[in-house]
Amino acid sequence: MHCSVSGEVPEEPVVSKKSGLLYEKRLIERHISEYGKCPITGEPLTMDDVVPVETGKIVKPRTVQTASIPGMLGMFQNEWDGLMLSNFALEQQLHTARQELSHALYQHDAACRVIARLKKERDEARSLLTQAERQIPMFSSEAVIANSSVLSNGKRAAEDDDMAQPGKRVRPGISASIITELTDCNAALSQQRKKRQIPPTLAPIDALERYTQLSSHPLHRTSKPGILSIDIQYSKDIIATGGVDATAVIFDRPSGQIVSALSGHSKRVTSVKFVAEGEFFLTGSADKTVRVWKGSEDGKYDCRHILKDHTAEVQAVTVHATNNFFVTASLDNTWCFYDLSSGLCLTQVADTSKTDGYTSAAFHPDGLILGTGTSEAVVKIWDVKSQANVAKFEGHVRPVTAISFSENGYFLATAAHDSVKLWDLRKLKNFRTLNLYDSDTPTNSVEFDHSGSYIGISGSDIRVYQVGSVKADWNCIKTLPDLSGTGRATCVKFGPESNYIAVGSMDHNLRIFGLPGEEAPLES
């Protein structure tokens, strides 16, 4: 007799009272303890319903397979085949498990990428929402225009024609929140300026006296030579130049390599500006446009906005101290105030007086005053909050080519064809005039260094002066020759801590002046 569960001859046979089936005792005990019923009939069953069966103790005979050597070999062969089949099934299961794991890891990685992208889009959406809150006046004005177009029997074509003309575009204006931001920035910077000291790492006068040309870098095309503007990003020691060849070049001074050449303007680039500690870069051009570029980690720059609000050459671009706004000045006799991130022109200020346009512009270090130079030799000071002309400086006889505010907040330097004039902003008067060149040689550029200790002037050569006071002399420290051979040094800029001077001329080379031995290659 055989066990109804295992099919083998039981060693301790028991019989169910209910079904009369024979079981191996240990097997039926385990089944009853786990399920409490008969494994065959499914009826409830307990150990009290099981009766042991007494059998004689006999020796089990050997099976036929184990009675001979060939039978045992056959049995081993069958066991081996069974083992191989089992091993093959396990390998298949392992391969399937690996594929499932790989797919799960891929899905996890894809999910992480999607989450990261969604977070980035969320942050960008929040940024756009913040910008939209600033631009609420613009949307309300656009709604008024839309309503007026409906009331005028749908004559939208006339409205579009007006909007297409820059002088007639509706501007949202500088909102109260922006004015608050400008005022807070002014208060913070003014407070810092009272405690501001000259950094100990600033290049001393005896070092500037020994400056000589360290290197010359051909950044622009020889077919259209001329560098018209220079700016330096001090945190990275990167120099930007704008050229007659309609390109702007980003140059890494420590490595001596061109990082990026920005093309897109159709005429000469008249002004270049970095946004301090940021990734934005601005270019103004004689093609009447301003371009906003955004840098990436690999040093490449992409054009984010092309601004076409002016109707004549853009002569100057200047960035506000908040690094959130900038101003452009043009020969069309207007200056525009922009939001940097959106590229939106918040207001366009036209001068009602008869002038031939603006030739230069610069923000005061505290940000609430804007200075503009005109082609009629007048320097105009504007209140940014009200866009009102609050002062005029007269005295030059030819167009104002450059203006620069000192970091001390008190001095303004203006350059024109005839001379360089220094103005006291506290008393609104000219306290010193530097007549540097003859009547046929214009003064092209004037620039205070970041500490307010030195001032650089370029014309037929480059001259560096020590900044004095209203009564004290402004002494010429160093005169650097214009090595371009053109006799026209167009722009000058002090490097970090004035440890070098960058000069652009009417050839295609950027020249670096500094202490001998600090920069090995003379040509790169």
Side-chain angles (χ1 to χ4, degrees):
M1 299 180 69
H2 300 279
C3 175
S4 298
V5 176
S6 64
E8 300 289 338
V9 177
E11 295 180 358
E12 294 183 60
V14 292
V15 176
S16 171
K17 295 179 182 179
K18 294 183 178 181
S19 63
L21 296 174
L22 182 70
Y23 300 103
E24 176 71 50
K25 183 179 180 181
R26 58 182 176 80
L27 296 179
I28 194 63
E29 282 182 348
R30 183 183 302 172
H31 189 83
I32 290 174
S33 64
E34 291 182 0
Y35 302 103
K37 60 183 179 179
C38 178
I40 305 302
T41 63
E43 296 178 355
L45 186 68
T46 64
M47 289 304 296
D48 295 334
D49 298 327
V50 176
V51 178
V53 178
E54 297 294 335
T55 60
K57 301 297 183 180
I58 60 174
V59 178
K60 296 180 181 180
R62 293 185 180 181
T63 61
V64 177
Q65 291 83 357
T66 58
S68 63
I69 292 177
M72 294 177 65
L73 292 177
M75 184 179 61
F76 293 156
Q77 181 65 47
N78 292 335
E79 291 181 357
W80 175 260
D81 293 341
L83 179 61
M84 290 299 102
L85 290 173
S86 177
N87 188 40
F88 177 73
L90 288 175
E91 288 183 352
Q92 284 187 321
Q93 293 176 2
L94 177 61
H95 180 69
T96 303
R98 284 179 174 175
Q99 287 184 328
E100 292 176 352
L101 177 61
S102 176
H103 183 65
L105 292 175
Y106 176 78
Q107 287 184 324
H108 177 267
D109 182 66
C112 291
R113 292 176 183 271
V114 170
I115 292 171
R117 187 176 71 250
L118 291 176
K119 285 184 176 180
K120 181 179 179 181
E121 292 176 355
R122 179 202 62 188
D123 295 340
E124 291 177 351
R126 287 177 177 174
S127 177
L128 291 175
L129 179 60
T130 303
Q131 297 170 15
E133 291 174 351
R134 291 180 178 176
Q135 300 168 13
I136 289 177
M138 176 190 69
F139 297 135
S140 61
S141 62
E142 288 180 352
V144 172
I145 294 173
N147 292 335
S148 63
S149 65
V150 173
L151 295 175
S152 61
N153 296 324
K155 295 181 180 179
R156 188 175 294 275
E159 173 198 342
D160 292 341
D161 290 341
D162 290 343
M163 291 295 290
Q165 300 179 19
K168 297 183 180 181
R169 290 180 181 173
V170 176
R171 307 296 184 189
I174 301 177
S175 64
S177 62
I178 296 178
I179 292 177
T180 301
E181 183 178 355
L182 301 182
T183 304
D184 292 343
C185 177
N186 173 268
L189 293 177
S190 298
Q191 187 66 26
Q192 293 176 8
R193 185 161 284 106
K194 295 178 181 180
K195 303 177 182 179
R196 192 169 182 269
Q197 297 180 352
I198 296 176
T201 55
L202 181 70
I205 295 177
D206 59 345
L208 268 72
E209 291 174 345
R210 293 183 287 121
Y211 275 13
T212 184
Q213 179 173 314
L214 301 180
S215 59
S216 176
H217 308 277
L219 303 185
H220 294 268
R221 292 198 294 266
T222 56
S223 58
K224 293 183 178 181
I227 296 176
L228 302 179
S229 179
I230 288 179
D231 196 27
I232 300 176
Q233 190 175 34
Y234 293 120
S235 61
K236 298 180 181 179
D237 202 1
I238 296 177
I239 303 175
T241 60
V244 178
D245 60 357
T247 62
V249 176
I250 310 296
F251 175 75
D252 182 58
R253 188 194 69 86
S255 66
Q257 300 295 322
I258 294 178
V259 176
S260 184
L262 310 182
S263 59
H265 289 292
S266 59
K267 294 184 180 179
R268 64 184 182 274
V269 177
T270 56
S271 181
V272 294
K273 281 292 179 183
F274 283 108
V275 178
E277 304 301 332
E279 53 192 2
F280 288 101
F281 175 65
L282 309 174
T283 57
S285 171
D287 63 5
K288 308 176 187 178
T289 68
V290 177
R291 289 178 179 251
V292 180
W293 309 80
K294 187 174 183 180
S296 57
E297 294 181 357
D298 58 358
K300 302 301 181 182
Y301 285 78
D302 297 324
C303 183
R304 291 302 178 94
H305 304 291
I306 302 177
L307 312 178
K308 301 180 180 180
D309 298 283
H310 290 292
T311 58
E313 294 184 7
V314 177
Q315 292 289 300
V317 179
T318 178
V319 180
H320 190 267
T322 58
N323 296 318
N324 294 327
F325 310 98
F326 66 96
V327 162
T328 61
S330 169
L331 291 179
D332 64 2
N333 201 29
T334 66
W335 56 269
C336 294
F337 187 92
Y338 289 93
D339 178 80
L340 177 64
S341 58
S342 65
L344 176 68
C345 179
L346 302 178
T347 185
Q348 186 170 16
V349 181
D351 194 349
T352 56
S353 63
K354 183 181 178 182
T355 61
D356 293 332
Y358 298 113
T359 54
S360 55
F363 270 114
H364 186 273
D366 291 342
L368 289 185
I369 296 176
L370 174 70
T372 58
T374 68
S375 56
E376 292 190 342
V378 178
V379 179
K380 297 185 177 183
I381 306 299
W382 302 83
D383 179 9
V384 178
K385 294 188 295 183
S386 62
Q387 299 94 60
N389 182 205
V390 295
K392 291 183 180 179
F393 295 152
E394 299 177 345
H396 288 294
V397 296
R398 298 288 292 275
V400 179
T401 55
I403 65 176
S404 178
F405 287 95
S406 172
E407 281 295 321
N408 64 13
Y410 303 143
F411 299 147
L412 169 65
T414 60
H417 191 287
D418 55 322
S419 62
V420 171
K421 291 184 178 294
L422 302 171
W423 308 85
D424 186 353
L425 297 176
R426 295 165 292 187
K427 298 182 179 180
L428 301 180
K429 70 175 185 178
N430 171 227
F431 66 89
R432 192 172 304 277
T433 299
L434 304 177
N435 296 305
L436 307 178
Y437 308 110
D438 56 44
S439 58
D440 296 329
T441 304
T443 305
N444 298 315
S445 175
V446 62
E447 183 78 21
F448 282 100
D449 79 313
H450 188 66
S451 69
S453 302
Y454 306 114
I455 185 172
I457 304 169
S458 63
S460 59
D461 54 22
I462 304 95
R463 305 189 185 189
V464 180
Y465 280 76
Q466 180 185 11
V467 173
S469 63
V470 174
K471 296 182 179 180
D473 292 336
W474 294 51
N475 300 317
C476 182
I477 301 172
K478 182 68 175 180
T479 300
L480 302 169
D482 175 30
L483 301 177
S484 67
T486 63
R488 292 182 61 189
T490 55
C491 42
V492 58
K493 192 80 174 180
F494 288 93
E497 310 298 348
S498 299
N499 55 11
Y500 67 86
I501 300 174
V503 176
S505 302
M506 286 308 294
D507 65 347
H508 63 290
N509 290 303
L510 168 69
R511 289 178 169 82
I512 306 296
F513 292 84
L515 285 177
E518 290 193 354
E519 191 165 333
L522 186 60
E523 297 288 338
S524 64

